Amino acid sequence: MYAYTIRRVLIFIPMLIMLSIIVFGLAKAAPGDPFTGKILDPTVDPEVFEQQREALGLNDPIPVQYARWASAMATGDFGTSMYYKGKSVQSLIQERALNTIYLGLFSLAITILVAIPIGMYSARNPYSLLDYSATTFGFMGLAIPNFFFGLVAIYLLSIKLGWFPAQGTISGTEIGGWEEWKSRLHHMVLPGITLGLAGTASYMRYMRSEMLDVLKSDYIRTARAKGMGERNILYKQALRNAIIPIITLMGFEFGALLSGAIITEQVFNYPGIGTLFINSIMNRDYPVIMAITLLLGVAILIGNLLADIFYSLVDPRIRYD
Amino acid sequence: MPKNINKAYKSPFQLAKERFLKNKLAIASIFFLLFIIGAAIFAPFLTDHDPKKGDLLLIEHAPSEEHILGTDGSGRDNFSRLLYGARISLTVGFSAMIFTLIIGVVTGAIAGYYGGIIDNLLMRLTDLVLALPFLVLALTIIALLEKVTIGIFVTIIAITSWPTLTRIVRGSFLSLREQEFVLGARAIGATDRRIIFKHVIPNAIGPIIVNATLMMATMIIAESALSFIGMGIPQPNPTWGNMLSEAQNIRILRNHPEAWIPPGLGILLTVLAINFIGDGLRDAFDPKSNP
Amino acid sequence: MLIREKKLWILLVLLLAFGLLLGACGKDKEEPDKSEDQTEKAEKETDEQEEAVEEQTGPTAGGTIVGAMYSAPAGMFNPIFYEEAYEANILSFTHEGLVAQNESLEFIPSLAKSWETNDDQTSITFTLEEGVTWHDGEPFTAEDVVFTYQAMSDPDYVKAGGIRTAYVHPLKGYEAYNAGETEDFEGVVADDDHTVTFHFEEPNINPLYYASFPIIPKHIFGDMTVVEMAEAPESLDAGKVIGTGPFQYTEAIEREQYVLTKHEAYWQGTPYLDKIVWRVIAQSVMTGLLESGEIDFIADPNGIAPADFESVQALDHITIIEQADFGYQLLGFKHHHRTTEDVESGELNPDNWVPNEKVSNPKVRQALAYAINREGLVDGLLYGRGQPIDSPIAVQFWAYDDEAAIHYDFDQEKAKDMLDELGYVDQDDDGFREDPDGEEWVLNMHYPTGNELREKSAPLIQQMLEEVGVKVNLHQPKEMTAYVEGLTDDNSDWDLYLLGWSLGSSDPDPTGLWGVDAPYNFSRWNNPESTELLKKALKAPEAFEQDFRKEVYAEWQHVFSEDLPALLLYAQNSLWAYHNKLQNVDPLPFTMYENSHLWWVKEE
């Protein structure tokens, strides 16, 4: 087990290098650079951009640029943004990552709190009213594009009814203390639900179907026959087995969550990693693109690794060696 | 083999078919899908309007006899865009799903069944692709391209989204691999191919199908999401996603429900129907899950 | 098994959910449509009321108003380094220049109360306002002016990220100072604490323009190198940015909210408003937020989309400011392409250019111009909130001369006749014209994303050209960054392109966009007559007289519209809006933020 984990971690390193080369190559292959998009102010001589390009080394051969980036990276220096002038990539990401993490956790919490109990209930009481409602909403949740759900939610719940704020992470200037958190939570409701919608729906479906399978399996029957208490069966035996695929899914959910975050953040003008990423792609802000993809890469790889390890912990039949 | 035995013994697929036919919601969904597909195919007979042709005098007009769903912000007929949009959205959804399914099942089966080095290599590959969220990867690639056609679009979706399916297929193979009937088959000397196709795949078909349907749903939705951030099938091509993303404005939401409800319903109902069918298939293949 | 019942349940729940969704969305469809006159009347009434109330009660101090922009500023709040309009939104409240512009675009005193030029206009001496203080209480002096221009002339200025070299280029001794050959900065000299003189290398026809740049404080940045300045908290962070303007940038939630607090000791009097808060919102929800009162005003860049005009107009508590914008959208014709070698070496030498045969005949370009329904674009896409123009000079300028230019009124028959006459006829009956040699004639058209109306106009323009038998290959739109690369590296097959320019309000000189060796002359237009006129219009001493320049520009506008480096499509009106509770809004042609220290809030 430990050997396996260590080996996986070691494999990370060449993979991250591969990833960085691919992304760097992709980003550089895209037409334009951080300055081409700015060239449209008639009072500015484009020559200045040429000088700035030269100063930033954007005219050097791509391998040279990569080497420069990589050696800075090796010392933990993410560089300076080429678009957000004077800002270090690290401060930019810190600023936004926190917002995305809050939003992600919030929506994951909604997902888990809603999906698992309802999924279990549905499996225990299949074809009950709640089961049908849950199934229906599950299906609908998967069927509505989340940007659209977000827009309609803004329209109905924010603009028509005024229940929730539609934009941003915080309103007014209540910075610091409990007020700030209340405001943040309030602002997270709509984007959180929007982001969590698809996840909730699919977890619910998985939970229900896995639980149904498990409840009908031989060992549960055996346990029942042996006279084991129903609570015990449900929470100790069944849940444990039904939750395996959910955990696998969750390991990957990270990626889906971030994809969703890109869209959701756009709709709600929620300044997180997703918006930053889209902006940096649009502006060819190479240092930021690289830093974000690498960070996402690391986060997702760790998520996958944890999923694998957990998988083997809960299902003793699976062994890694 | 005597005939009467044949009659009594039904193959799993025949059994599944019978069970599936009993599932009315799934059957209704199939009819609904056929209806949508029909509308898409026969679009030229259902409308005289060119979905790409705008008219400056008809911008954002309310429904009329001529334009039963009104016109969009470029004066194009919404109804014809809806019909032709179904073509592209369905094509994108179906082909991307099939494409992904093939890659996913093959790689997942190989990895899960053989394990060892092959598994390891494949899993590192999936890790690499999965190390970037689907949208991030798709977005980066699309941003690079000179021209985005449907084929290219589908390919991008497929090559960026197969690993999820691979992982899930592999997951079920991994646990099936160690189960008694597979061990038994191996003990009596069945070939790998036979074991994979006769024993493992039929038993893993539930999760595969559930996932393929989810995938198809995801594909249709991914198209609209990419349209939303301006990286989808480019205008003036009509797709449901394009139509919806044009409605991302309070004015249209409020004043022109005819512009966004139909494509919204189109996506919603089509994806629902696909999911119902997938569920029906799953129940059919996996009778255990029936009450 | 209760299969039937089960399906029924699912369907029922589905339908119910749907009904809820649709019902909720459709509800307000019946909201009354306010007719235009009504709102216009309301607008006028408000104006009158405004005056009346002011007379009776006078402005009261206090209150906060919330403005909105659609994108967050990149975060550089030092005028000498800022780049985009979102940052300018904040800087226009916090920093000031020596001179400003009035309604007729004349320069008027700001930090300088008077000035005098010498006879040949090689120098101009300003007398500064006394008693002006920076946000931190330090006095503003001539040294600050010198420092600002010196920093922009610094050898490392561009490397540090600065792009405003145009303001310091004509200063005396700039070249030498910028090259690091001398430590003496001769361009701007402080004569005493409140007198400062600008010296130019050559007679300058518009010296006030060069003196209009916002001033930064020497006592803050004086000890830093230019490179350090660009990264200093004093250039970036709320509370640290110091200017002389009526408001100070005091607080921020990055990317979301930017708070400006009044400058108590503002030299023109303490502002009435306590705070101005800028919020970043998505354009798609703007009308909703304006309606609900979450935002109080919206202006540049982008303001109200023409399609939203009616919805905003229907709001009783909102006043709309509509006026012509300083900019235009165009359909460019690539007159020449550059050679691949030139593109690679970055050389811009008209002698090496290769004519683009497909559109090199001016008559062909004129025919294409007649084929395009620009009035239709304005009426349809712009909902009438703009006008077709034929001259590439903003209409507000004294130099704009509508009479001088040829007007291409929509006339497809004329277009067809002209093309027939020129020998562009359909020879193989495919519905499209071939060129006079009988070869295939397909025009490659490109356009960028980023401006919704422009994006929509592209397929419509293609359609119009095809209606007169011109085959257009409309390429997929590209985001601006990728697009500009194709536009600049013009060794390609581009024939037609769409682009928009927003122009400055300070001088109408179009050389920067249409001069033959201007990099922004993306059409690669090379017309000797134009070159000569553009030079003539800037030549001292004749050009000191505005009337002289006006005449020359009139001639030039004719040349432009005849030779058509581009067909100007339309100038969109800028549409700004503010809540009626906000009083004393006194918009200028180029900004809504004039005299913001006089803004006040009338509580209802």
Side-chain angles (χ1 to χ4, degrees), chain C residues 273-288:
Chain C
L273 289 176
D274 288 338
K275 277 179 183 175
I276 295 174
V277 177
W278 279 106
R279 282 187 59 195
V280 181
I281 61 160
Q283 188 159 14
S284 53
V285 300
M286 183 274 293
T287 47

Side-chain angles (χ1 to χ4, degrees), chain A:
Chain A
M1 194 67 226
Y2 292 109
Y4 172 78
T5 311
I6 289 168
R7 218 171 56 221
R8 281 289 299 271
V9 171
L10 285 181
I11 291 173
F12 272 10
I13 295 162
M15 278 187 52
L16 285 177
I17 295 175
M18 279 274 286
L19 187 71
S20 72
I21 293 176
I22 293 173
V23 174
F24 200 84
L26 278 176
K28 288 288 174 183
D33 68 23
F35 298 105
T36 39
K38 291 181 180 175
I39 298 201
L40 288 173
D41 182 343
T43 61
V44 175
D45 182 357
E47 175 58 25
V48 303
F49 295 117
E50 196 46 50
Q51 289 179 34
Q52 292 180 356
R53 254 180 216 128
E54 193 61 46
L56 285 175
L58 292 177
N59 291 337
D60 297 341
I62 290 173
V64 174
Q65 294 185 45
Y66 178 79
R68 193 182 312 127
W69 174 83
S71 53
M73 187 65 224
T75 66
D77 177 10
F78 286 90
T80 311
S81 163
M82 295 182 180
Y83 177 76
Y84 301 104
K85 283 206 246 162
K87 291 243 176 189
S88 76
V89 174
Q90 204 178 341
S91 71
L92 268 177
I93 289 182
Q94 270 170 3
E95 205 175 83
R96 315 290 184 82
L98 222 52
N99 282 338
T100 302
I101 290 171
Y102 291 149
L103 183 63
L105 288 179
F106 185 77
S107 88
L108 210 61
I110 296 182
T111 301
I112 292 171
L113 290 179
V114 172
I116 293 187
I118 293 187
M120 278 180 70
Y121 181 90
S122 288
R124 287 181 63 203
N125 309 286
Y127 313 117
S128 61
L129 179 58
L130 184 72
D131 181 29
Y132 284 125
S133 317
T135 309
T136 309
F137 279 102
F139 277 130
M140 302 237 314
L142 288 171
I144 299 179
N146 68 356
F147 75 89
F148 196 67
F149 179 86
L151 274 175
V152 175
I154 289 180
Y155 176 52
L156 293 181
L157 301 180
S158 179
I159 287 169
K160 291 263 87 180
L161 298 171
W163 290 353
F164 301 104
Q167 304 268 289
T169 62
I170 190 168
S171 69
T173 35
E174 59 276 270
I175 301 175
W178 174 231
E179 282 302 309
E180 176 179 346
W181 278 102
K182 237 166 65 184
S183 176
R184 279 187 188 280
L185 280 174
H186 198 205
H187 278 75
M188 256 185 259
V189 175
L190 291 187
I193 291 176
T194 307
L195 180 56
L197 184 70
T200 309
S202 64
Y203 283 134
M204 216 151 74
R205 289 191 69 194
Y206 270 104
M207 194 63 208
R208 178 182 183 274
S209 88
E210 289 301 328
M211 201 69 181
L212 271 178
D213 280 358
V214 171
L215 285 176
K216 265 173 271 131
S217 62
D218 296 339
Y219 61 89
I220 295 291
R221 271 183 223 162
T222 316
R224 280 216 178 93
K226 278 187 178 165
M228 202 184 256
E230 191 65 25
R231 270 182 77 89
N232 203 341
I233 291 177
L234 207 62
Y235 293 107
K236 271 224 166 124
Q237 308 298 320
L239 184 59
R240 189 176 138 146
N241 281 292
I243 216 152
I244 295 174
I246 309 279
I247 284 161
T248 325
L249 206 64
M250 242 171 228
F252 311 134
E253 177 66 3
F254 215 87
L257 208 64
L258 287 162
S259 288
I262 293 181
I263 305 281
T264 311
E265 288 174 6
Q266 290 285 98
V267 179
F268 292 95
N269 234 31
Y270 194 94
I273 285 288
T275 12
L276 180 63
F277 185 71
I278 291 206
N279 286 340
S280 23
I281 285 197
M282 298 290 186
N283 297 319
R284 308 283 188 271
D285 194 349
Y286 305 121
V288 180
I289 299 179
M290 293 302 294
I292 294 183
T293 44
L294 272 200
L295 285 181
L296 292 189
V298 171
I300 291 171
L301 289 175
I302 290 175
N304 289 357
L305 177 63
L306 290 180
D308 275 351
I309 291 173
F310 200 78
Y311 208 56
S312 74
L313 287 181
V314 290
D315 189 346
R317 284 171 302 178
I318 297 163
R319 287 258 167 268
Y320 298 108
D321 34 40

Side-chain angles (χ1 to χ4, degrees), chain B residues 12-141:
Chain B
F13 282 92
Q14 279 170 310
L15 281 170
K17 197 174 116 193
E18 278 175 22
R19 275 193 295 263
F20 184 78
L21 288 175
K22 280 187 199 144
N23 186 334
K24 295 213 177 70
L25 194 59
I27 300 296
S29 296
I30 285 192
F31 280 112
F32 176 76
L33 258 195
L34 286 176
F35 168 73
I36 298 277
I37 293 169
I41 292 174
F42 297 110
F45 301 101
L46 297 171
T47 175
D48 295 331
H49 295 286
D50 179 345
K52 295 186 188 177
K53 194 166 158 45
D55 187 338
L56 283 172
L57 301 175
L58 282 172
I59 288 184
E60 276 185 25
H61 272 215
S64 61
E65 245 172 73
E66 180 69 16
H67 302 279
I68 54 175
L69 291 178
T71 55
D72 73 359
S74 300
R76 297 173 298 211
D77 179 57
N78 276 331
F79 182 64
S80 75
R81 285 182 75 72
L82 185 71
L83 294 177
Y84 286 93
R87 274 190 185 184
I88 299 182
S89 294
L90 287 177
T91 315
V92 167
F94 269 118
S95 38
M97 182 267 279
I98 298 289
F99 203 163
T100 313
L101 191 64
I102 292 171
I103 310 180
V105 169
V106 169
T107 50
I110 291 174
Y113 184 77
Y114 290 101
I117 276 205
I118 300 177
D119 181 28
N120 231 318
L121 282 176
L122 273 169
M123 282 308 101
R124 296 302 75 76
L125 189 62
T126 60
D127 281 347
L128 196 63
V129 182
L130 279 172
L132 286 179
F134 154 70
L135 207 60
V136 170
L137 211 56
L139 210 120
T140 319
I141 299 176

Side-chain angles (χ1 to χ4, degrees), chain B residues 165-177:
Chain B
L165 204 63
T166 305
R167 301 283 302 223
I168 287 163
V169 172
R170 171 181 173 269
S172 31
F173 266 58
L174 221 54
S175 56
L176 283 169
R177 185 173 70 166

Side-chain angles (χ1 to χ4, degrees), chain C residues 387-551:
Chain C
Q387 53 182 325
I389 52 166
D390 288 288
S391 159
I393 290 180
V395 293
Q396 299 89 332
F397 277 120
W398 46 266
Y400 177 79
D401 191 340
D402 191 48
E403 297 301 307
I406 300 170
H407 299 275
Y408 293 94
D409 295 325
F410 179 50
D411 187 345
Q412 293 200 325
E413 289 313 311
K414 187 164 180 177
K416 285 182 198 163
D417 291 345
M418 285 177 80
L419 288 170
D420 286 344
E421 240 168 74
L422 293 165
Y424 289 83
V425 284
D426 184 6
Q427 298 176 11
D428 56 6
D429 284 328
D430 62 348
F432 294 111
R433 297 168 189 273
E434 277 73 47
D435 72 9
D437 300 330
E439 301 290 322
E440 196 181 41
W441 189 49
V442 182
L443 301 181
N444 290 305
M445 177 168 165
H446 293 256
Y447 67 110
T449 58
N451 176 320
E452 203 193 334
L453 297 179
R454 181 172 57 212
E455 274 174 66
K456 283 182 178 164
S457 72
L460 291 165
I461 289 170
Q462 176 194 30
Q463 229 168 277
M464 294 173 201
L465 292 177
E466 299 202 335
E467 276 162 16
V468 299
V470 178
K471 177 112 177 118
V472 173
N473 177 12
L474 184 63
H475 288 255
Q476 277 178 14
K478 289 198 206 94
E479 32 142 357
M480 210 29 121
T481 304
Y483 184 73
V484 172
E485 180 156 294
L487 193 60
T488 323
D489 296 348
D490 43 6
N491 54 335
S492 49
D493 58 355
W494 289 35
D495 301 313
L496 307 176
Y497 64 91
L498 293 185
L499 194 64
W501 286 111
S502 50
L503 308 174
S505 58
S506 32
D507 194 276
D509 174 30
T511 315
L513 295 184
W514 301 108
V516 59
D517 37 22
Y520 295 129
N521 170 18
F522 292 122
S523 292
R524 305 299 169 218
W525 183 38
N526 184 2
N527 180 316
E529 215 179 327
S530 151
T531 311
E532 195 188 315
L533 288 169
L534 288 177
K535 258 191 212 139
K536 192 170 156 195
L538 295 177
K539 199 165 167 278
E542 294 92 329
F544 294 159
E545 292 306 316
Q546 207 174 77
D547 287 341
F548 170 80
R549 289 183 77 194
K550 195 173 169 171
E551 250 168 66

Side-chain angles (χ1 to χ4, degrees), chain B residues 3-20:
Chain B
K3 266 188 180 166
N4 58 340
I5 293 184
N6 213 356
K7 219 172 196 178
Y9 172 81
K10 290 181 180 166
S11 77
F13 282 92
Q14 279 170 310
L15 281 170
K17 197 174 116 193
E18 278 175 22
R19 275 193 295 263
F20 184 78

